[in-house]
């Protein structure tokens, strides 16, 4: 049943360009899809291990800068007269490096911070994001600082027998983001339903009991951080090659807050939660912009957030699933009772 719903959902998203002709809304869907990928990666930590990362945007930004610099090339000086000269590589190579380097940064942060966890982990992630932002802002020779990296090339895909396809249009980028989102969903789904996923849930629900049955806490949480950071890096790479300009504002704290809102309102710990929450809070500002003043938009945004959390405190997907399960259980109980009474009447 869940697989059928997932397939229908993917087909529905794939059909959107067939009837949506507004380039503004298409652009909003693409950027929303990129941030949904980031929210899915955050959900792996927040929803399945219980670790809140308020610096998750650092991995997103690292992926964006790594991919952009790989495809643009650079010539940067180092202390003692050394220089690093890098010729431009294909953007696909930048995407691959963004995943690898963001994952390595996730390993570093996880290895250092998961020994403390709790509030200390939150502080470490925020500090890491701020350090990376300051590096991007001040290392002007490499990142151009506040002047931004511009003219980032679009991703190119090689087609056998047809040459290279440059993904410049909104339609092409929409399907690219959809493909990466589906791939990320499949990876996370297989992960959380594996033995490793059960270990993550065990640590979140009862760490002492999990340790008593032989689960390595630091190793499990660090691996989750690596995969989460790698997926966030992929999202950042897509963002860089779609927007084609990157500056240190990509590390803005509001972007992490947006991802957290997507996860919490959609339902942390549920695979579909970030998708549902992301569609609502990714597109809500776009839908409110033509009909409300900027101040009213934020009021409405906050009001919708409060209403959802008040009415559906566990998030949209888990709360609705729980209610449907209760109704199904009541219907089955009523059907069994009716069958028993009918049998008694015939007897």
């Amino acid at each position: 049943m869940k697989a059928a719903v997932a397939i229908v959902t993917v087909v529905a998203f794939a059909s959107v360009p067939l009837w949506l002709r507004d380039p503004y809304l298409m652009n909003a869907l693409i950027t929303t899809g990129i941030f949904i990928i980031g929210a899915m990666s955050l959900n792996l930590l927040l929803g399945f291990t219980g670790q809140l990362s308020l610096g998750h945007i650092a991995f997103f930004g690292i992926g964006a800068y790594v991919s952009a610099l790989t495809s643009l090339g650079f010539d940067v000086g180092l202390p003692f007269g050394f220089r690093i000269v890098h010729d431009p590589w294909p953007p696909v190579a930048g995407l691959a490096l963004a995943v690898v380097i963001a994952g390595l940064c996730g390993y570093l942060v996880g290895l250092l911070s998961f020994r403390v966890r709790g509030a200390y982990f939150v502080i470490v992630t925020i500090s890491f994001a701020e350090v990376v932002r300051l590096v991007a802002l001040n290392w002007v020779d490499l990142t151009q600082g506040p002047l931004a990296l511009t003219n980032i090339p679009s991703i190119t895909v090689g087609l056998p027998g047809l040459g290279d396809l440059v993904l410049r249009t909104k339609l092409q980028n929409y399907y690219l983001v959809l493909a990466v989102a589906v791939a990320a969903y499949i990876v996370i789904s297989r992960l959380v339903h594996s033995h490793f996923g059960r270990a993550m849930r065990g640590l979140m629900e009862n760490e002492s009991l999990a340790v008593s049955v032989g689960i390595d806490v630091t190793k499990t949480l660090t691996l989750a951080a690596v995969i989460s950071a790698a997926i966030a890096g992929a999202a950042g790479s897509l963002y860089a090659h779609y927007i084609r300009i990157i500056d240190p504002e990509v590390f803005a704290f509001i972007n992490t807050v947006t991802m957290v809102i997507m996860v919490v309102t959609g339902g942390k710990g549920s695979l579909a939660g970030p998708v549902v929450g992301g569609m609502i809070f990714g597109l809500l500002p776009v839908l409110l912009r033509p009909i409300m003043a900027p101040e009213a938009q934020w009021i409405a945004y906050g009001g919708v957030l409060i209403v959802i959390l008040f009415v559906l405190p566990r998030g949209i997907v888990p709360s609705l699933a729980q209610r449907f399960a209760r109704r199904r259980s009541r219907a089955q109980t009523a059907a069994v009772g009716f069958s028993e009474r009918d049998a008694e009447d015939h007897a």
Side-chain angles (χ1 to χ4, degrees):
M1 180 62 180
K2 291 182 179 180
V5 172
I7 292 173
V8 170
T9 302
V10 172
V11 171
F13 277 121
S15 69
V16 169
L18 301 178
W19 50 267
L20 182 63
R21 301 299 180 184
D22 188 336
Y24 176 68
L25 290 178
M26 182 62 73
N27 175 72
L29 280 174
I30 293 170
T31 54
T32 297
I34 292 172
F35 274 91
I36 285 176
I37 297 171
M40 290 165 61
S41 69
L42 177 61
N43 186 45
L44 185 62
L45 279 180
L46 178 58
F48 295 101
T49 68
Q51 304 298 318
L52 174 60
S53 172
L54 288 182
H56 203 66
I57 195 62
F59 307 116
F60 183 95
I62 287 170
Y65 268 99
V66 167
S67 195
L69 290 169
T70 300
S71 56
L72 288 171
F74 55 85
D75 182 353
V76 61
L78 297 176
F80 307 108
F82 293 102
R83 300 195 68 83
I84 297 179
V85 180
H86 168 70
D87 294 326
W89 286 1
V92 171
L95 173 59
L97 278 176
V99 171
V100 172
I101 294 180
L104 289 175
C105 291
Y107 174 77
L108 176 64
V109 173
L111 196 64
L112 295 175
S113 59
F114 281 134
R115 298 182 185 277
V116 288
R117 296 196 296 282
Y120 299 99
F121 173 70
V122 176
I123 293 172
V124 169
T125 56
I126 294 175
S127 302
F128 175 73
E130 182 61 14
V131 168
V132 175
R133 186 190 71 83
L134 291 174
V135 170
L137 181 64
N138 293 291
W139 198 354
V140 178
D141 289 345
L142 179 65
T143 67
Q144 302 300 314
L147 299 178
L149 292 173
T150 58
N151 297 319
I152 301 170
S154 301
I155 289 181
T156 303
V157 178
L159 300 177
L162 298 176
D164 294 333
L165 174 63
V166 182
L167 305 180
R168 290 194 181 96
T169 68
K170 289 181 172 58
L171 177 65
Q172 293 167 338
N173 278 278
Y174 177 84
Y175 283 118
L176 173 63
V177 171
L178 180 61
V180 175
V182 171
Y185 185 94
I186 292 173
V187 169
I188 294 172
S189 176
R190 292 182 65 87
L191 184 68
V192 300
H193 289 106
S194 66
H195 174 74
F196 177 74
R198 290 190 292 273
M200 288 193 300
R201 288 182 180 273
L203 288 174
M204 181 176 65
E205 294 171 2
N206 192 325
E207 183 174 325
S208 299
L209 180 59
V211 171
S212 70
V213 296
I215 295 176
D216 188 325
V217 177
T218 302
K219 180 180 178 180
T220 301
L221 294 179
T222 301
L223 182 56
V226 169
I227 298 171
S228 176
I231 295 173
S237 175
L238 293 177
Y239 184 79
H241 291 289
Y242 174 64
I243 301 297
R244 303 191 64 191
I245 179 172
I246 289 295
D247 64 18
E249 286 301 309
V250 73
F251 296 101
F253 184 66
I254 186 62
N255 291 330
T256 292
V257 173
T258 299
M259 292 182 189
V260 173
I261 289 174
M262 290 177 175
V263 172
V264 173
T265 55
K268 61 179 183 178
S270 65
L271 292 171
V275 180
V276 175
M279 289 301 296
I280 293 174
F281 287 96
L283 296 178
L284 185 61
V286 177
L287 300 176
L288 293 177
R289 193 167 294 130
I291 60 176
M292 290 185 177
E295 298 81 3
Q297 292 173 30
W298 284 109
I299 294 173
Y301 189 95
V304 172
L305 174 61
I306 292 171
V307 169
I308 290 176
L309 294 179
F310 183 77
V311 178
L312 305 170
R314 296 182 58 197
I316 296 171
V317 173
S319 296
L320 292 181
Q322 186 180 47
R323 293 187 182 186
F324 286 139
R326 287 176 180 174
R327 289 184 181 180
R328 192 183 307 114
S329 178
R330 290 172 184 171
Q332 291 174 349
T333 302
V336 170
F338 178 79
S339 299
E340 291 176 350
R341 289 195 300 270
D342 187 57
E344 291 174 357
D345 291 339
H346 282 293

